[in-house]
Amino acid sequence: MSYVTIHGKARLLAPALLAVALAACSGKDDSAPAAAAGTPASPAATPAEPAVSAKVQSMGTDQLRDSASTALRENRMYAPAGDNAMEYYLALRDKLPDDAAVKSALTDLQPYTLIAAEQSLAREDFPEAQRLVALIEKVDPSAPALPRLKQGITRGMEVAVKRTQEETDKVKKDAENRAKQLVEQQRLAQQQAAEASAAQQLAARQEAARKESERLEAERQAAAKREADARAAAQQVAAAPKPAAVAPTLRAVSTPAPRYPADALRSGTSGEVLVELTIGTDGSVTDARVLRANPPRVFDREALNAVRRWRFEPISSPTTTRRTLAFQPNQ
């Protein structure tokens, strides 16, 4: 198929989409240049790569015509980059600047490219929008839609960057808030753990104090019982009848008198001590205890010391008897 035939088919497809493109551009193109004139284009709106790829530019005219025809037949009017009719015709125009058919083909393809640029801008595909704007600008640097498209790309990228920054700030703020909440939760957990530990320690101290109090009370009651038992035993001993007289066979061998306490002697105190003593079979005193003393605890020690030195004649079995030791200062 010849280039002219393919070009003719492209011209048959162009009017409907051209009308859509012109309608999309109407109402905006008049004011856009004025706005763009006062606002310099952002560096982000300028594509880093040339509109026509180096590979396409290096192709010969015949290869470019064949590639352009194939691209039109396969509906690759402006994409993909490096393999589309727009780039092939632009490369042909650079090589054949006076070729009217090439110029006409570019004029027919430009509305499609414009619509595609608008769509890329709407979906925020800014690199694709920049590439398509570069194609439009290479076709016609004074195209009315160019300022508006460039401004839209710049503004869209700024909005996208701002939105991305806002989202980043929000994510960062959310992360900071979560970190603060985590720190606060950890602080509360530590505080609760400390309070629980303090409560346990206090409960343990109270329990220990309670047990100690119970132990002391038990000891006090036991001591009181022992004291009461001792008093009862003493009362029973005091109330018991005096033992019968020592058998005639119990004969004293030595009964030294007790020593008179110096304090009692100086004060002229007199008294007596009832002592119960047990005599062993050899006649020695094996045990002695005070049953009654008047006055109490004045002559007890000397009375016991004296009776423990007493000696009796040997007897057949141990015998317990009582003796009253009198203390008179004038004797």
Side-chain angles (χ1 to χ4, degrees):
M1 184 180 291
S2 68
Y3 161 71
V4 176
T5 303
I6 295 172
H7 175 63
K9 288 185 178 181
R11 292 183 62 84
L12 290 175
L13 296 173
L17 290 178
L18 180 58
V20 175
L22 292 175
C25 296
S26 64
K28 297 180 181 179
D29 293 346
D30 294 340
S31 59
T39 305
S42 170
T46 303
E49 298 294 332
V52 180
S53 69
K55 178 182 177 182
V56 173
Q57 290 175 346
S58 65
M59 295 168 63
T61 56
D62 292 339
Q63 187 180 4
L64 286 171
R65 286 194 181 96
D66 293 339
S67 297
S69 299
T70 302
L72 283 175
R73 187 169 58 251
E74 295 176 357
N75 202 30
R76 289 182 282 107
M77 291 180 286
Y78 47 80
D83 186 16
N84 58 80
M86 279 288 284
E87 290 191 46
Y88 294 135
Y89 283 130
L90 285 171
L92 272 172
R93 192 183 66 176
D94 289 342
K95 297 179 183 297
L96 305 171
D98 297 327
D99 192 319
V102 172
K103 293 179 181 180
S104 178
L106 289 172
T107 301
D108 291 341
L109 288 171
Q110 185 169 348
Y112 300 101
T113 309
L114 174 61
I115 293 172
E118 294 278 6
Q119 292 173 344
S120 297
L121 183 59
R123 65 175 180 268
E124 295 188 349
D125 186 354
F126 301 115
E128 179 66 6
Q130 289 176 325
R131 187 184 70 82
L132 296 173
V133 167
L135 291 175
I136 296 169
E137 188 172 20
K138 187 167 180 61
V139 173
D140 183 7
S142 62
L146 279 176
R148 176 177 55 79
L149 287 172
K150 289 182 178 181
Q151 187 179 31
I153 292 172
T154 302
R155 187 175 301 164
M157 293 179 69
E158 291 174 351
V159 170
V161 169
K162 182 178 179 182
R163 182 172 63 248
T164 302
Q165 184 62 43
E166 290 175 350
E167 292 173 353
T168 302
D169 293 343
K170 183 177 183 300
V171 170
K172 182 179 179 181
K173 186 174 181 181
D174 291 342
E176 291 175 351
N177 290 336
R178 285 193 297 270
K180 289 179 181 178
Q181 291 175 356
L182 180 59
V183 170
E184 180 64 15
Q185 290 173 355
Q186 291 176 345
R187 187 189 67 79
L188 291 176
Q190 292 174 353
Q191 180 179 351
Q192 291 173 354
E195 291 175 353
S197 177
Q200 291 177 352
Q201 293 176 1
L202 178 60
R205 288 196 297 269
Q206 291 175 345
E207 180 66 14
R210 182 186 66 79
K211 290 181 178 179
E212 179 65 14
S213 177
E214 291 178 351
R215 186 186 67 79
L216 293 176
E217 179 62 19
E219 290 181 354
R220 186 190 66 77
Q221 292 179 359
K225 185 176 183 303
R226 288 194 299 271
E227 185 178 353
D229 292 344
R231 285 197 301 267
Q235 290 174 358
Q236 289 178 359
V237 170
K242 293 182 180 180
V246 178
T249 56
L250 187 63
R251 296 182 180 86
V253 175
S254 174
T255 56
R259 189 180 69 84
Y260 209 101
D263 292 342
L265 185 61
R266 282 194 298 271
S267 62
T269 302
S270 61
E272 62 180 15
V273 179
L274 175 61
V275 180
E276 182 180 77
L277 59 155
T278 300
I279 297 93
T281 56
D282 62 349
S284 63
V285 177
T286 60
D287 189 22
R289 65 190 183 97
V290 175
L291 297 180
R292 184 177 64 250
N294 184 28
R297 293 183 297 279
V298 175
F299 303 105
D300 298 28
R301 179 181 298 176
E302 296 301 333
L304 290 175
N305 289 338
V307 300
R308 285 170 180 158
R309 296 195 303 270
W310 288 3
R311 293 290 182 272
F312 296 86
E313 290 182 354
I315 55 179
S316 59
S317 62
T319 301
T320 300
T321 186
R322 293 180 178 181
R323 293 289 187 271
T324 299
L325 283 74
F327 291 85
Q328 298 294 332
N330 297 327
Q331 294 181 353

